[in-house]
Amino acid sequence: MSKPISELLKALEREKGIHTDFKENMTYGDYLNLDDILSSQQRLSNHHDEMLFIIIHQVSELWMKLILHELTASIKSIEDGDLQPAFKMLARVSKIQSQIIQAWDVLSTLTPAEYLEFRDKLGQASGFQSYQYRLIEFALGYKSSHILKIYKNNEDVYRMLKAAYQAPSIYDVSIKALSRAGLSINPRLINRDYSKTYSGDPSVAQAWKEVYLQVDKYWELYQLAEKLVDIEDWLQQWRFRHMKTVERIIGFKTGTGGSSGVNYLRQVLDHRFFPELWDLRTQL
């Protein structure tokens, strides 16, 4: 049984070392900039549930910031030939993805009638415009020049996206790792035009097959492959939950950002980031 409140208060009083004077010292709130964070939920309507809508999206953006932090570092680590640190980072990405997926369960408590009460206040603002989500797609290898047009009015964001658009993805550096390990890779892939979405190559398929058939010899590459599969698996689950939550709340209406909504979200479910790693399951 839980302790009575009186006992808990007595236990707190016995904690003589607890700091209470912060005139000269940094507090928890100072460190986290909580005043700025907690004052950033500005509802455009008086509807109670708009707060839920804002916070879910803000929290998701914070998680995406951490995903990008980990993905960027893991890409560099793999490119430098130091795979072990990347495994920890990519495992963390998968855990973060599970948190973002669960956020859809909270948002799905918003009913269609409730959302209609403030949807018009959003104007043309939409999660479709999330530049961090686009950076994640670019880091995983899904490149679209059409998407860049959305951000031309923001020079800093556009410049950042353009750099990521032209940079090698995590799969590009993983293919380089296969080549460094002595596996035969089509040389045109090593310094290809990274702004083009990778669509597959027989040499990469054969290289991954050799990795899976000789796990002991290529243990690090085998670990890398499974980490990549984890990330794509979680991302597709996120996309599916996104689609079903949108369908649950607005049906097949056009999105506030002008996309076809559920129909668009269904289309992207068919895209694969690491095709050979999925085809391999059938071939082994």
Side-chain angles (χ1 to χ4, degrees):
M1 295 179 64
S2 60
K3 293 183 179 180
I5 295 295
S6 59
E7 288 188 29
L8 294 175
L9 290 173
K10 287 178 182 177
L12 183 59
E13 289 172 1
R14 288 194 293 269
E15 293 292 327
K16 303 299 183 183
I18 293 177
H19 298 292
T20 57
D21 184 358
F22 290 97
K23 288 181 179 179
E24 305 295 333
N25 297 311
M26 178 176 66
T27 66
Y28 171 81
D30 295 334
Y31 176 66
L32 295 177
N33 290 317
L34 280 182
D35 287 345
D36 291 337
I37 293 172
L38 298 178
S39 62
S40 295
Q41 295 74 45
Q42 303 298 324
R43 287 183 293 168
L44 299 179
S45 73
N46 290 321
H47 197 274
H48 174 84
D49 292 320
E50 190 183 353
M51 183 65 77
L52 161 70
F53 192 80
I54 293 170
I55 288 177
I56 285 291
H57 288 86
Q58 288 182 338
V59 169
S60 294
E61 289 292 335
L62 284 171
W63 279 130
M64 283 192 278
K65 182 173 183 176
L66 185 54
I67 286 176
L68 286 166
H69 178 70
E70 302 296 341
L71 278 179
T72 301
S74 63
I75 288 172
K76 185 179 185 306
S77 182
I78 296 167
E79 193 157 35
D80 291 344
D82 190 11
L83 270 59
Q84 286 296 328
F87 299 153
K88 174 65 178 294
M89 298 168 196
L90 296 177
R92 181 175 292 157
V93 168
S94 293
K95 292 296 184 182
I96 298 166
Q97 289 174 298
S98 72
Q99 294 297 309
I100 296 181
I101 290 169
Q102 289 178 7
W104 293 120
D105 294 337
V106 183
L107 186 59
S108 65
T109 64
L110 181 69
T111 68
E114 290 163 347
Y115 184 46
L116 283 174
E117 292 291 326
F118 63 86
R119 188 181 190 229
D120 287 346
K121 298 291 185 180
L122 304 180
Q124 295 179 331
S126 165
F128 187 83
Q129 297 146 15
S130 168
Y131 70 83
Q132 289 201 121
Y133 178 72
R134 299 306 171 188
L135 286 169
I136 291 171
E137 285 190 329
F138 289 176
L140 296 179
Y142 183 52
K143 308 290 182 75
S144 171
S145 59
H146 176 71
I147 290 297
L148 290 173
K149 297 177 183 177
I150 297 173
Y151 310 96
K152 279 198 169 181
N153 290 335
N154 188 324
E155 290 184 10
D156 292 338
V157 170
Y158 182 79
R159 194 180 304 112
M160 179 169 48
L161 280 161
K162 192 69 179 291
Y165 176 72
Q166 295 171 338
S169 71
I170 195 166
Y171 201 49
D172 288 316
V173 297
S174 297
I175 290 171
K176 288 181 181 180
L178 291 171
S179 180
R180 281 198 307 270
L183 293 158
S184 180
I185 296 294
N186 181 348
R188 287 178 295 189
L189 296 177
I190 303 303
N191 292 299
R192 70 183 190 90
D193 180 356
Y194 299 123
S195 68
K196 306 295 183 184
T197 298
Y198 177 81
S199 59
D201 188 275
S203 68
V204 175
Q206 182 58 35
W208 283 125
K209 187 174 183 179
E210 290 183 40
V211 168
Y212 275 74
L213 291 175
Q214 301 180 72
V215 171
D216 291 341
K217 181 177 179 180
Y218 298 111
W219 176 245
E220 283 197 334
L221 291 170
Y222 174 72
Q223 287 181 286
L224 174 60
E226 287 299 297
K227 289 289 186 289
L228 294 177
V229 169
D230 284 343
I231 286 173
E232 180 163 352
D233 190 348
W234 282 111
L235 184 65
Q236 293 293 53
Q237 290 185 53
W238 182 90
R239 282 173 162 178
F240 179 78
R241 290 294 292 119
H242 184 188
M243 178 194 73
K244 295 307 292 183
T245 303
V246 170
E247 183 177 358
R248 176 172 177 155
I249 296 174
I250 68 168
F252 287 81
K253 293 186 182 75
T254 300
T256 50
S259 75
S260 58
V262 170
N263 288 325
Y264 169 77
L265 296 172
R266 279 184 174 172
Q267 291 171 27
V268 298
L269 276 172
D270 292 331
H271 175 259
R272 296 190 301 173
F273 293 92
F274 318 128
E276 290 90 359
L277 291 176
W278 292 99
D279 291 340
L280 180 67
R281 269 70 187 159
T282 303
Q283 297 165 4
L284 285 176

